[in-house]
Structure formats: C-alpha cells, structure tokens
Amino acid sequence: MARNMHQAFAGATLVGETQDRRQRFSLLLLNLEEYYFEQHTANHVQHKGSRYERKIRGSLKICSKSVIFEPDAISQPIIKIPLRDCIKIGKHGENGANRHFTKAVSGGISLIFSQVYFIKEHNIVAPYKIERGTMEYVFELDVSGKVEDVVETLLQLHRASCLDKLGDQTAMITAILQSRLARTSFDKNRFQSVSEKLHMECKAEMVTPLVTNPGHVCITDTNLYFQPLNGYPKPMVQITLHDVRRIYKRRHGLMPLGLEVFCTEDDPCSDVYLKFYERQDRDDLYFYIATYLEHHVAERTAEGCTLQWQRGLLSNYQYLLHLNTLADRSCNDLSQYPVFPWVVGDYSSSELDLSNPGTFRDLSKPVGALNKERLERLLTRYREMPEPKFMYGSHYSSPGYVLFYLVRIAPEYMLCLQNGRFDNADRMFNSIAETWKNCLDGATDFKELIPEFYGDDVSFLVNSLKLDLGKRQGGQMVDDVELPPWARSPEDFLQKSRDALESDYVSEHLHEWIDLVFGCKQKGRNAVGAHNVFHPLTYEGGVNLNSIEDPDEKVAMLTQILEFGQTPKQLFVTPHPRRITPKFKSLSQPSSYSASTADSPVSPGEESFEDLTEESRTLAWSNITRLRPHEQHKIHKEAVTGIAVSRSGSSVFTTSQDSTLKMFSKESKMLQRSISFSNMALSSCLLLPGDATVVSSSWDNNVYFYSIAFGRRQDTLMGHDDAVSKICWHDNRLYSASWDSTVKVWSGVPAEMPGSRRHQFDLLAELEHDVGVDTISLNAASTLLVSGTKEGTVTIWDLTAAAILHQIPCHSGTVCDTAFSPDSRHVLSAGEDGCLNVVDVQTGMLMSSMTSDEPQRCFLWDGNSVLAGSQSGELLVWDLLGGKIRERIQGHTGKLSAADLTPPNLLFPPADVPFSSRELPVCPLGRGRSPPDPGWPGHLHLSLGLRDVRLQNGSFNFHMEN
C-alpha cells in the first residue's frame, strides 16, 4: 500500500496530515453528530478578583453542544463544558455580585455550570476526568467587541441543547448550521490560479472517522477545493484534478450523499470524503470529476479486477480491499470500515500448518454459524421471533468492533465513541485466542476482522503509547495483545496471517465468504439458507429515513444505523466464481462439465491452438500488437463471411454473401476454385480434419459438404427451417446454428467419394432458443457450447446433458461472435452494441464488460488478450485484465467479419514461405538466452475477412508480426 491504513486515524484531520504536537484539540473531543463552529483567542481567568487570580492563555472553541477551552500550555488540561449542563451564560459582571467588575472586564464571558470534563492533561491520552458541582468559569476574549455575539450564539445553542426531544435538538442545531453556511461562501481568492474557471460551488461536510466538518465545496477546471466553515484543520483543502485516480459515490448513514476521492491507485485510504446535503450536488460534482477522468485516467473496472483476481494477478488481500471499496466500505466511516474474514481457526498450536485444512475456519459459514450448538439456540429464537426476523442481534462489523481492534493506535476514537471512557479491561482486545473463542462461543459476538490483521504494521497489537487501559480481574494490566503460540512476534503473527490469507485453501474457498458478505447469500432466501440474516436496519434499503416524519424516531434510527453496523452494499447476485490457479485443476467441481472446465482436454488427432508449447503461445500473444498488413487479395464481389486455412497453410477457403465458396492458393497467389451451391449467401465455412472436405452453411437453410480432391459437392444437409448462421465440427459431430431459433447437433461422417452412398446424418440433440441464433462456439473438449442470439443473450450449454447451464443477457443487440477461453473457464462475447463481455462458465457471472466506439464483429483470444475486428476495419488488441485497448492496427477500410489463426505447426520460418521471407522472424529472446535457430517457427499468420461493399469489397488480408 502507498500509505498505511492507520493514517486514516490522523486526529480526524486530513488523511496523512501531521498535527503540531501543541495543538491537542481535535474534532474527536466533540460528541457524535456535534459541529465545531468557531474559535477565539482568550484567557481562562481563575479566581477572578482575588489575590490568587491567574490567567491561562489559550483558545475558546464554540461547538454546537459544548464549549471547549484549549490552553497553550500542554501541562494544562483541555476543558470541555457541555452546554446542557450550563445554568447561566452571559457577560461577566452582569450576574449579581460580579456586577461591579463589568466595566473592567468587558471582554469576559461567564459560564455557570454543574459539570466539566478535563482532557489530555500533560498531553496524555487517558479517560476524561469529570468534576461535578456548581462552578463558574470566566473567559476573556482578546477581541472584547465579539463578546456579545459569542454570548448570543452560546445562548442560542444552549436553548437547543436543553430541548426535551432529541429530534428537536437536532433540527434546531441543523438550522443554526445551515444559517451559518448560507451567510458565508467559498473564498475564491484562494484559487491556485486566477485563470481557473469555476464549475460549481455547494455546501458539504468533510467526513473523517466518527466526525464530520461542515464547509463549502468548489470545483474548477483544474482543482477540487473544500473550505471548512471553522478553518480547521487548515483554511483550505485542495486536490488537483490531474492527481485524481478514482472516485466513488458513497452512502453515508444509508443515504446516497457521499463522495470519496482517491489520488492513488491502490491505497485504501482516500484523500477526501465528502458528504453533501443534497444528492443532486453530489451527483453534479461526481459528473464533473468523472468527465475529467475519462480523458486522463484509464478506467479500472470492477469486473476487470475480478478477472485479475481469478487469474492470480491480484492477491486475495488486494481483491478484498477492492470489493470493500466498491461496497461503500471506507476507512473514513467506522460504521462501514473495510471487513476481512477470520481465515485461521487454530490459535492454540505451537506451529501453524497451512497445508492442513483443519487449520482454517469454514469460509462457507458466517461467524455466527461456526458453532453448531450456539447456532441451534439462535435458530430456536429466530423461529419464535415475529417479523421482521433476524438471527443475530449484533453485526460482524461496527464502529465499536473496529475500535476494539484499534484502541492501541486510536485511543481518542474509543474515548469519543464511549463518552470519555475506555471499555472494561476484561472486554478489551487482550488476546487473539480469547477473541476468536468469544466469536465462536459468545452469545452476541459475531465479529469478523479488519484489514490490519493482514497488513504489515504491528502497532495495533502493541501498546507503544503506554496507555493505561486498565487492570483485568486477574490483576494483570492491559498491555500488548497476547499472540497465539505459533507467532514468535507481532511481525511473525502478521506475516503468517498474510500467508494464511494467500494460502491454497483460502484461495480455493474465498469465493464462499464473498458470497456471504458481498454476494448472493447476503440477503433474501439464500441468506436464510446460509444462516446469514442480520437486523433489517443493517441492510441497504432496509429503511427509508426520508419517510420517517417523527424527528425523534428519525434521529434514533440514524444513531442506531451508525453505531450498530452496516452490511456492505451487495455486489453480486449470482455465485462468485472461484479463483483459478494450476493447483486447483484437480479439484472436484459440482457439475457434469467439471473435467472440461478444469483440464480442457483436446481430442486425440485434432490440432488446436493449445498444442503450442507454453513458451511459443506466450510469445505469439505477447507480440500480437506487432501485427502489420502483409498481403491483400480481392476475390469476392460481396462481404466475406467465413475463412478456413488448410493445415499445410497453402490454401485459404472463404465464403461470402455473393453465394460462393472460393479456394485461394497462398503459394501461387491465385484463385483456384469458385463454387456456388445456391443463389443465396453462404454464412460460414470450416475444414474437416484431413483437409479433404470443406463445409459451408447457407442462408437457404442448408449445410453443404464439398470434396476438395474431387471438386464436387458430396453431401447436403437440409437441417433447418431458416438460414444457417454458423457451423462447428468436432469428433464427427456437426453443430449448426440457425435463425429458426435452434442449435442442432448431428452425428455422421460425409461420404469420401462422390457417387458413393450419401451418409445419413442423425440428429442427436436440438437446443432451443427464444429467438434466432447468430453464432456458436465449442470449448476444446466439445463438452460445452456457447450460443449468441439476435436479442443479445449468451447461453452456455452442457452438451453431455443437452441442458442450459447459464443464460445471460449480455448485449443490447445482436451477438456477433462468441468463444471459450483456452482453459474453458470463461466465455467472451462481442456484440453490435460495441461491448466485449467476459462470463464465468462455472457461475454464469458477468465478470468483465468493456465498451468500444463501434461494434466488434469477430475476435481471437488467448484468455487474457483479445484481437478483435471492428466495424471500421481496425484490428483492436484488448487487454482484458487491464480493461483497455492496447493497440489499434489499421487492417481494412471496411467492416471486419471473420478471422482465423493458422494452426501452430504453420508458424513458418521465413525461408519456407515466399510472402513471409521479407519479414523478420519473431524470436523467443529472454534474459541470458541466445538467439534461436534461423528456422525457428516464429511468425504468426492471421487471415481476415472483410465486409465492405464499397471499397475493398470481398477481399481478405494476410497479417504478420513485424
């Protein structure tokens, strides 16, 4: 991480900002939902008028519910006087016996009260000291002319604090705050440049853990500004838009009013978190920043990160942080702090055995369901409970739980949350093992962990501040956290915890925990079945605060929401896919196609792209951006619809909408044959194994088999009631897709000699769709088929059972092309809507969606990179994991409709292929390696079809790596 997450607790100031040691005041000294309005330089006058009179220099802070005096001398305690405990407020000398001092001390303010707090004496963080009894304090302002205004403000706030109903108090204080904000505006003299153009200005609050700070937001064409109403912690917060990398809309208190801005790519701590009073203001500001980012920052999509994690390019830790960020979890909001799972279940052994599944916690169950006996008691109560029912009376993440873990580095936050007190010493975070045991056995303890348990900063485990956290019943003082026997030190504990999080077992099962917290088992029937039901108020949409008219009920509800804990925003509604690593290929999967998704076997005797050595395949795709046009040949009158290249590489077969099948020789560069089966367009073609037969499909509802050796049509399959759009062949089976809304599976071998008995094709299966099918594709083992329809639906079929596995509405228009990844774990689809979508085969989850300016008609891919043919004739090289276009290669001037990669054994050396002899071979060079033999097969040949009836109508190009 670029910064440590603990910097989010920088005294409720800006993240990462260091405070002056002498400035002990922070917003954490305020009550929850209290505002700091203004400060005045003043003296606290003790024993006024007596020979013991003493003046203590400092600043007087006027807050919405209290008066706070911060002495300059750190040996003196900070004084906090709650306004509700004040008996009288006025100018000193206007109250009875002190009247004769009025003229002499015209700058004095008198507070008579019944209770006062003393905080941070000698700058030591400790529980607040409380003094009770009737007392009078006098404060002399340096500017005596402000005394009347300050007194008037204090009297107004005092009236609000003394109202009987909490809702009325909140309403009156809110009115005072809004009045102050309305009387002020953003100071445009603080712009970084006089040439800046103002886009918008509005009122908002800056959010930091437990507190918010009101002020004005302003955005220009170059900067985002926040000006606090009180000038704290500094007069202006400024963020340069050029530095912004990510922005997220947030819900704060279950209201869609938050906006979080990040200036770093992977840091979990944001640079500013803003809460707006109007949703429209939030959305407008988001629009301005998002518009700027579109032109300056490459988008990193949620789906792309899922794909990166699944393929091992993101660690489990990084991916969980990413999911938390997407689910509105923020370091600046303790009610929505990032949540991480307990993954280790063994805190008693002397050694941590990460190869033993028994070492780990069951990630398929929530914490509350890990103990079977406790769960039975909770279920009994749940069944007897009236609606709305819930299984757990507390949440797995709340401000109290976060500070339970972080009290040693954030003691002031716990004091703020608990009215100036630490928790009972025996309830503190004393031991890892004790905490885990209580989470297993405790009647109301179901908490998960926080990211710090898998970070590299041990300070939350060590009492380095020497805090007096109390004495336990056994007599021992609360000090450092007691570690499990297998941890030699705090550093060792975190390292082993990280190792556990990234272990094979957790990588295999983490998707189950994601389902519980962020996914399909978070709410509804699936949550009930998984024993994962919490109080309705914890869920997004569980309550509409705007619909509550009673102000007291509304305030109480909001307080409960903020303090009880909130369930993350639901990110996934289908089961989350498991992670893919080579170690998991032998794992069983609950599906009839487990073998294909795990191992992707290729039938004996049939070559495929997978036959390349790993080195050659990696090399070919790593150089895919170096493709350049090499040859172009025009042989059709209308659009090319299909391409097939012979295994020898000498012949190219193409079909076209001009109704012809043509055979072109790459060696002689001449058209050798032109065959017409009907007067209707041909839609696709393929070569059967052995290169003796070409199969083409037609809009006349038929499939034609053409013998190359005898130059004749040898079979015709009249198999559909409408145009045949696409055909595939594998292991003596033909798969045909049609606009009649079916995909049919046929068994049969075409006749080898013309004149011999025609073969009878047997219909093995009929896969029915709601609308016409435009494209189909098989996985390597031919156990799975994916189809794409005219209405944008992608359907994954299990061919062993002729059943639908998943049906996903992927596109807003026709699906142009589909294909499985080499490992059969993903399906890629391209559509007329310009989208490239990746679907997880196991779960049917849409994992990635990338949009281009124009439709992508056809593509080839290796699972990570995609070479797509676009509407404009460009070849686009997409980086799926990065979610962006890596290269644009000008291939044609018209629409691309078909592409074919020659078999790997046809990566010819330059001397063997006339048209490639003018090109340099691509060599597998690496560190410390010698250049290969000149005859190494290093060229990748690509054949492309063109759809353009105006310019290069009916032509195709050969492309080579340069």
Side-chain angles (χ1 to χ4, degrees), residues 289-308:
I289 301 178
T291 302
Y292 182 90
L293 292 183
E294 282 179 9
H295 299 94
H296 296 83
V297 179
E299 183 181 8
R300 184 181 181 186
T301 63
E303 299 88 352
C305 283
T306 301
L307 198 59
Q308 285 182 317

Side-chain angles (χ1 to χ4, degrees), residues 222-354:
T222 56
N223 291 289
L224 171 66
Y225 298 95
F226 176 77
Q227 180 180 334
L229 180 66
N230 48 38
Y232 177 87
K234 59 182 182 180
M236 187 70 63
V237 176
Q238 178 252 330
I239 292 176
T240 303
L241 294 182
H242 182 74
D243 294 335
V244 175
R245 288 296 173 268
R246 296 177 289 145
I247 53 171
Y248 297 97
K249 291 181 179 180
R250 295 291 188 223
R251 53 178 183 148
H252 188 273
L254 296 188
M255 300 287 284
L257 299 173
L259 183 71
E260 197 162 17
V261 180
F262 293 79
C263 291
T264 48
E265 199 63 52
D266 299 311
D267 200 328
C269 300
S270 64
D271 289 77
V272 66
Y273 187 145
L274 299 172
K275 171 195 170 187
F276 295 80
Y277 298 109
E278 301 293 337
R279 180 173 181 173
Q280 189 61 50
D281 289 339
R282 191 276 304 269
D283 293 345
D284 288 346
L285 191 70
Y286 178 89
F287 172 78
Y288 284 123
I289 301 178
T291 302
Y292 182 90
L293 292 183
E294 282 179 9
H295 299 94
H296 296 83
V297 179
E299 183 181 8
R300 184 181 181 186
T301 63
E303 299 88 352
C305 283
T306 301
L307 198 59
Q308 285 182 317
W309 169 77
Q310 198 184 14
R311 291 190 169 270
L313 298 183
L314 283 180
S315 68
N316 292 337
Y317 177 82
Q318 290 171 320
Y319 186 53
L320 288 175
L321 275 182
H322 179 73
L323 294 183
N324 273 283
T325 299
L326 290 175
D328 284 340
R329 314 299 286 190
S330 168
C331 300
N332 283 311
D333 185 354
L334 294 189
S335 65
Q336 298 189 93
Y337 199 77
V339 57
F340 270 58
W342 289 92
V343 297
V344 174
D346 178 5
Y347 295 100
S348 58
S349 298
S350 58
E351 295 293 333
L352 188 66
D353 183 3
L354 297 183

Side-chain angles (χ1 to χ4, degrees), residues 25 33 141 163 167 206 280 404 476 526 681 686 720 753 933:
F25 171 79
E33 301 299 308
L141 304 188
L163 293 172
M206 188 168 69
Q280 189 61 50
F404 167 84
Q476 66 271 37
N526 289 337
L686 58 84
H720 288 275
M753 294 181 61
D933 183 87

Side-chain angles (χ1 to χ4, degrees), residues 514-527 540 569-577 806-809 843-846:
I514 292 173
D515 283 340
L516 294 170
V517 177
F518 302 105
C520 63
K521 296 181 181 179
Q522 186 197 83
K523 46 175 106 164
R525 184 182 305 170
N526 289 337
E540 183 178 29
K569 178 180 179 180
Q570 188 174 20
L571 300 178
F572 310 106
V573 295
T574 57
H576 193 282
H806 306 290
Q807 198 167 39
I808 310 103
T843 63
M845 186 178 113
L846 181 63

